[in-house]
Amino acid sequence: MIETLKAIAGKYRNSEGNVITLLQDTQEAFGYIPKEAIEFLSKTLEIAPSRFYGVATFYIQFHLKPRGKNIITACCGTACHVKGAERLYNAVKQELNLSAGQDMTEDRQYTLEKVNCVGACSLAPVFMINKKVYGKATGEKLLREIRSNGKPQDNGK
Amino acid sequence: MANNITIRVCMGTGGIASGGAEVLAAFRQEIDAAGLNAEIRENCATHQVGCRGLCARDVLVDVLVGNENVTYQFIKPDMVSRIVQEHIINRNPVAEWTVGEEYHNFHNKQVKVVLSDCGRLDPENIEDYIAEGGYEAAQKVITSWTPEKVIAEIKASGLRGRGGAGFPTGVKWELAGNNRSDAKYIICNADEGDPGAFMDRAVIEGNPHSVIEGMIIGAFAIGSKKGYVYIRAEYPLAVDRLRLAIRQAEEKGFLGKNIFGTGLDFEIAVKLGAGAFVCGEETALIASIEGQRGMPRSKPPFPVNKGLWQRPTVINNVETLANVPFIIRKGAEWFASYGTEKSKGTKVFALTGKIINTGLIEVPMGITLREIIYDIGGGIEGGKQLKAVQTGGPSGGCIPADMLDLNVDYESLAKVGSIVGSGGMIVLSEEDCMVNMAKYFIQFTQEESCGKCVPCRVGTKRLLEIMERIIGGQGKEGDMELLETLSNSVKVTSLCGLGQTAPNPVLSTLKYFRDEFEAHIIDKKCAAKVCKALITYFILEEACKGCGACLRACPAGAITGEKKKPHKIDPEICIRCGACFEVCKFRSVGRD
């Protein structure tokens, strides 16, 4: 971890110390922003941790907690909203056995998230499983896709 | 003698989601396959192109034999071998798969400027763009014009900002150009945050070089050496194509040091947005590029005087910049010949919602809503009634069906309480609840409020609470008046555009759909059957066959009944999900 962070810090040491880019690179490397990473970058680059946390909590892209191996994203843009995105979201949530307020399965296989708009509105409703976009999504299509990926276990191992 | 054959496969985000990459691969494989003679193979070019607008019919494929173009729709990889066999080898297009009248109607009333090359050019190949006259405008301007002449030309064209506010582009450039400073910046705002809008994404995916060329011309006009494109990280394909296009332009000497051999320098850096709607606001966007929390500040000073790193900065939207090379190439007069007196040129709209032809359209300013919805859009899905058109996203408003003959331009839309905005156009039918839509938008702006100023942070929260109460069946007399008063306060006292426009969807719904609010508040009914708390489900005993489908579908266990006897729904247990309503084959589940 330290080696990766050193590389990230080195890359930006001389370029106006852009906190957003630092965090983007950190998240790219670890999938989320570990507390230790902020501590390390803060010390190395002499930037207060509060600046990192300030930025990380402001933008929705940043995650301070680990995320699942697969990311399922429900587009909740206007076009998807009027085409029933909410209902699909609930169906997927039920399939993954997620309780209210929970967005990652116990076994850390899946994280279910909402996003404002992926900009594929003419194919609404839209879902993404990892980087792949599913247009004109139906509950059946999505559940089939998720199940074929291996249904998440009720109890994580 | 073999004609030149070109195959174009739609590979925007829409095309790829529908399987464009697989279709393109299938074409390449079929053409390489044995049995095709070398002469045809050598004359056959396959390429990817950007979005041509009608994503609802993806994957769209053009097969050009000589000058004859045939367009196919809904193409899947397994259909490719027949097209290659019958059309490319035997020269007989597969008629049953070609696009019909609707495809042509969709395009007939459009005027494509910004999108003219999208869907024709390979966005990953700079030579395609150059062959169409690309970068000629930038070269002409830089080698033989003065900055003043560029500004005069853009002013004469009447081009106004396409990101929402509609500020005259030439004036903005002039203000920044007149400032003396050791550095100036030009920023392309590609942080397309409006849900339901994707024109900027399509332009960058379909023709990224037009945006880069527009930036070069703008940079020359104001005297800038460094530009930024602030683009959403949610658009990975657009980001990749943009980066590639910048690299290609650098290799050609159009960007970097000594551009076009004139001794001038101009470089472009790509900055990824991290997901904050408020960063579409100029000063927030600047803060974000500087690596801060993207919070707006009060204006003045305006960015043209004090922007990025406190230097004069011009921020233009993607579509605005993409218009610039065409204006220089074809002249201000040509551009101004489209549109209305105060709104010149064309505008790209993302046409979505309950409409048959969902997609991306480009129309002259001043076209009527009726033409957009019925002539281009093909009318309402499923033969339903049109209820309203929502324009301008969370900052805009809804326009009721009886105002269909309204002209679509900056002034006319503002007059009825909506805006052109960035160009989202969501069509709503009788199945949509306007109160629910208003709540959707206020929820969006409430979540996206940066929290810096009180009216927006607290005001949108209170507005949302009232809306939630109404939708939850707890509406009270006086709620509508309270919404109006609070909305107006938030509008006039908020710091930036986000808060100043956030109440618009609520206000315009109150104005045009007051009866729906009344039905929700007083009668506790949602006529569109969208607001769950206001719907009751019941089983029509005389129609129920007792098949048990609803009983099995009910996730709450609210349905009871013996086989072959009418079932019953317990309203106390029912969670109003509607699963029984959808699953019943005998239409014996009723709702009110």
Side-chain angles (χ1 to χ4, degrees), chain B residues 40 73 120 131-132 177 206 245 250 308 343 345 348 359 382 393 416 437 459 476-477 519 542 576:
Chain B
I40 294 180
Q73 60 183 1
R120 295 199 307 121
E132 294 287 328
E250 283 168 351
L308 188 62
S343 305
V348 183
V416 300
M437 282 310 289
K476 299 188 290 217
E477 210 177 311
E542 60 281 9
R576 302 177 169 103

Side-chain angles (χ1 to χ4, degrees), chain B residues 81-101:
Chain B
S81 71
R82 192 173 150 200
I83 295 176
V84 171
Q85 193 61 41
E86 294 183 19
H87 190 169
I88 295 173
I89 299 175
N90 297 335
R91 302 293 155 91
N92 269 326
V94 187
E96 62 198 86
W97 293 340
T98 56
V99 292
E101 208 181 327

Side-chain angles (χ1 to χ4, degrees), chain B residues 164-410:
Chain B
F167 191 81
T169 307
V171 175
K172 202 185 248 184
W173 287 8
E174 189 171 43
L175 290 169
N178 287 342
N179 279 318
R180 297 279 154 256
S181 172
D182 59 338
K184 292 182 194 177
Y185 301 99
I186 181 163
I187 299 173
C188 170
N189 184 350
D191 189 44
E192 190 169 49
D194 269 16
F198 54 99
M199 50 291 297
D200 295 349
R201 182 188 59 97
V203 170
I204 292 179
E205 284 177 7
N207 192 3
H209 289 288
S210 64
V211 182
I212 296 172
E213 189 178 6
M215 285 184 79
I216 297 172
I217 295 167
F220 174 75
I222 65 165
S224 161
K225 289 187 168 56
K226 171 109 194 191
Y228 290 91
V229 181
Y230 187 83
I231 184 167
R232 301 180 77 199
E234 288 93 332
Y235 290 173
L237 180 67
V239 173
D240 289 349
R241 290 197 176 152
L242 180 68
R243 284 188 168 142
L244 179 68
I246 290 173
R247 238 180 3 254
Q248 290 173 343
E250 283 168 351
E251 283 162 13
K252 287 272 170 194
F254 302 157
L255 282 177
K257 299 268 175 227
N258 187 23
I259 55 173
F260 297 100
T262 54
L264 292 171
D265 302 336
F266 180 59
E267 56 168 348
I268 297 180
V270 175
K271 282 277 171 189
L272 292 190
F277 176 66
V278 69
C279 287
E281 201 278 344
E282 296 189 318
T283 57
L285 188 153
I286 287 170
S288 184
I289 291 184
E290 290 174 350
Q292 317 278 340
R293 287 161 71 96
M295 286 181 161
R297 58 162 175 78
S298 58
K299 295 187 275 193
F302 290 95
V304 286
N305 299 317
K306 266 188 177 185
L308 188 62
W309 320 117
Q310 302 295 311
R311 305 295 194 283
T313 303
V314 158
I315 301 176
N316 288 134
N317 161 269
V318 170
E319 192 187 332
T320 314
L321 288 165
N323 266 302
V324 168
F326 292 97
I327 294 172
I328 302 289
R329 242 191 270 170
K330 300 186 179 178
E333 221 169 278
W334 161 83
F335 184 82
S337 71
Y338 295 110
T340 61
E341 194 197 336
K342 286 185 175 162
S343 305
K344 300 294 186 195
T346 59
K347 174 80 192 89
V348 183
F349 288 98
L351 192 59
T352 60
K354 305 290 170 66
I355 191 149
I356 293 172
N357 297 332
T358 55
L360 204 63
I361 61 166
E362 183 169 2
V363 290
M365 288 277 194
I367 191 171
T368 64
L369 273 177
R370 185 184 301 280
E371 288 173 283
I372 292 182
I373 291 169
Y374 290 99
D375 297 345
I376 298 173
I380 310 303
E381 214 179 52
K384 302 280 185 215
Q385 282 292 315
L386 170 71
K387 189 186 263 185
V389 182
Q390 209 283 344
T391 66
S395 308
C398 52
I399 301 160
D402 58 13
M403 294 172 90
L404 266 188
D405 291 308
L406 189 77
N407 298 94
V408 178
D409 58 55
Y410 293 110

Side-chain angles (χ1 to χ4, degrees), chain B residues 339-514:
Chain B
T340 61
E341 194 197 336
K342 286 185 175 162
S343 305
K344 300 294 186 195
T346 59
K347 174 80 192 89
V348 183
F349 288 98
L351 192 59
T352 60
K354 305 290 170 66
I355 191 149
I356 293 172
N357 297 332
T358 55
L360 204 63
I361 61 166
E362 183 169 2
V363 290
M365 288 277 194
I367 191 171
T368 64
L369 273 177
R370 185 184 301 280
E371 288 173 283
I372 292 182
I373 291 169
Y374 290 99
D375 297 345
I376 298 173
I380 310 303
E381 214 179 52
K384 302 280 185 215
Q385 282 292 315
L386 170 71
K387 189 186 263 185
V389 182
Q390 209 283 344
T391 66
S395 308
C398 52
I399 301 160
D402 58 13
M403 294 172 90
L404 266 188
D405 291 308
L406 189 77
N407 298 94
V408 178
D409 58 55
Y410 293 110
E411 281 72 28
S412 308
L413 289 192
K415 219 182 285 168
V416 300
S418 189
I419 56 168
V420 170
S422 61
M425 198 174 259
I426 291 132
V427 178
L428 304 169
S429 77
E430 55 190 301
E431 290 182 318
D432 295 300
C433 169
M434 299 309 293
V435 181
N436 188 285
M437 282 310 289
K439 183 223 136 199
Y440 168 83
F441 283 118
I442 201 74
Q443 183 168 5
F444 178 87
T445 37
Q446 190 272 321
E447 281 168 8
E448 292 294 338
S449 170
C450 79
K452 183 169 180 176
C453 75
V454 176
C456 179
R457 183 181 71 231
V458 183
T460 54
K461 181 84 181 162
R462 295 289 97 82
L463 283 172
L464 175 62
E465 284 165 1
I466 301 168
M467 293 301 295
E468 279 178 337
R469 209 174 62 221
I470 294 173
I471 280 169
Q474 307 293 315
K476 299 188 290 217
E477 210 177 311
D479 272 351
M480 287 190 285
E481 292 72 17
L482 183 60
L483 280 172
E484 266 160 350
T485 315
L486 183 53
S487 290
N488 286 316
S489 309
V490 172
K491 264 175 87 111
V492 294
T493 52
S494 289
L495 172 63
C496 82
L498 192 153
Q500 288 160 11
T501 59
N504 284 354
V506 173
L507 284 173
S508 80
T509 312
L510 274 168
K511 188 170 166 193
Y512 298 115
F513 295 94
R514 220 175 170 85

Side-chain angles (χ1 to χ4, degrees), chain A residues 4 21 30 37 41 52 56 59 64 99-100 106 120 125 139 154:
Chain A
T4 316
T21 327
F30 305 109
L41 290 172
F52 286 104
Y59 297 98
L64 294 167
S99 54
E106 298 284 336
D154 284 342

